[in-house]
Amino acid sequence: AQRVTQPEKLLSVFKGAPVELKCNYSYSGSPELFWYVQYSRQRLQLLLRHISRESIKGFTADLNKGETSFHLKKPFAQEEDSAMYYCALRLTQGGSEKLVFGKGTKLTVNP
Amino acid sequence: GAGVSQSPSNKVTEKGKDVELRCDPISGHTALYWYRQSLGQGLEFLIYFQGNSAPDKSGLPSDRFSAERTGGSVSTLTIQRTQQEDSAVYLCASSLAAGANEQYFGPGTRLTVT
């Protein structure tokens, strides 16, 4: 079954420290993975997608097919990074598509 | 430009009543999705609309849930005979087309069933 696992519900770091939010997936095909972020009192929004291999707000994520992981990393966390982060796997099948989300990790960056 | 909008932002209803939740997608977006965000369950897919194709209703949790999309634009999610376990935030998202790389989410409707 297709599944996304984010093992940490809560993650707390100090400003300037590195941060890594873990994401593992279970999928038999070639995965399309995304990180979405929800800041306090804001709507859910796309942070980055693996296919673009981009860095957004200093965050990067590398797809590791061997480990079935797509961890989100930032070398120096900022207070404004505090938010809820969701890893998502896009499934397309029979003309339909949807995102399968992990349960999210709440990141708190302390001053 | 205007993003995805949803109404109402909050809805409190009594168990057993019917509710309707509305979603206005971004103009020109042909794909529309409904998700449910509840404590302990995270974000769950409910239903997908693409153009004039038959919707994918595989995520609807029971036959009390239904959705329609009129004129390829506005969508309404209806929950009949609400139960307390229906309490959640219902999110709508739209994307430019099937296979587009980003889904744009609305602010959600928080439903509380008392």
Side-chain angles (χ1 to χ4, degrees):
Chain A
Q2 302 92 347
R3 189 171 60 243
V4 175
T5 303
Q6 293 179 251
E8 306 134 328
K9 285 182 70 171
L10 303 169
L11 185 61
S12 183
V13 300
F14 286 103
K15 176 182 170 181
V19 63
E20 181 181 54
L21 293 91
K22 291 184 168 48
C23 171
N24 288 88
Y25 65 90
S26 172
Y27 184 58
S28 57
S30 187
E32 291 184 73
L33 289 153
F34 303 81
W35 277 98
Y36 277 80
V37 61
Q38 190 167 27
Y39 301 102
S40 179
R41 289 184 295 278
Q42 293 188 29
R43 59 185 69 189
L44 193 63
Q45 58 187 279
L46 178 67
L47 179 63
L48 54 79
R49 47 202 166 212
H50 94 268
I51 200 167
S52 302
R53 300 186 63 81
E54 57 203 341
S55 173
I56 301 292
K57 299 185 179 183
F59 284 98
T60 59
D62 290 317
L63 176 61
N64 185 322
K65 291 186 178 180
E67 296 183 359
T68 60
S69 68
F70 187 56
H71 303 327
L72 184 68
K73 300 178 185 179
K74 184 169 182 176
F76 308 103
Q78 303 300 315
E79 289 179 68
E80 56 265 29
D81 297 328
S82 296
M84 196 75 187
Y85 291 80
Y86 294 93
C87 183
L89 170 70
R90 180 159 75 185
L91 298 182
T92 54
Q93 140 178 50
S96 178
E97 64 173 78
K98 62 185 177 184
L99 291 174
V100 174
F101 286 90
K103 294 195 174 179
T105 297
K106 184 174 181 180
L107 174 65
T108 302
V109 181
N110 299 297
Chain B
V4 177
S5 61
Q6 293 186 244
S7 60
S9 55
N10 280 285
K11 176 73 177 177
V12 180
T13 191
E14 291 180 353
K15 177 181 168 181
K17 302 278 190 185
D18 298 351
V19 295
E20 280 191 355
L21 312 179
R22 177 187 167 106
C23 171
D24 279 272
I26 294 172
S27 178
H29 280 197
T30 63
L32 187 147
Y33 316 76
W34 283 98
Y35 294 88
R36 180 168 70 173
Q37 187 175 31
S38 51
L39 282 174
Q41 297 299 318
L43 279 148
E44 305 170 279
F45 166 79
L46 296 177
I47 188 168
Y48 165 72
F49 294 92
Q50 168 55 39
N52 295 321
S53 302
D56 174 5
K57 306 179 183 179
S58 61
L60 295 178
S62 78
D63 58 9
R64 294 186 296 105
F65 288 71
S66 63
E68 62 177 24
R69 189 177 184 193
T70 52
S73 182
V74 171
S75 178
T76 303
L77 177 69
T78 301
I79 310 174
Q80 295 179 308
R81 304 181 303 281
T82 52
Q83 303 295 312
Q84 287 187 329
E85 61 262 27
D86 300 334
S87 296
V89 176
Y90 289 82
L91 294 175
C92 176
S94 70
S95 64
L96 191 57
N101 270 322
E102 181 170 0
Q103 292 183 21
Y104 295 83
F105 283 81
T109 293
R110 181 175 296 277
L111 175 66
T112 304
V113 182
T114 62

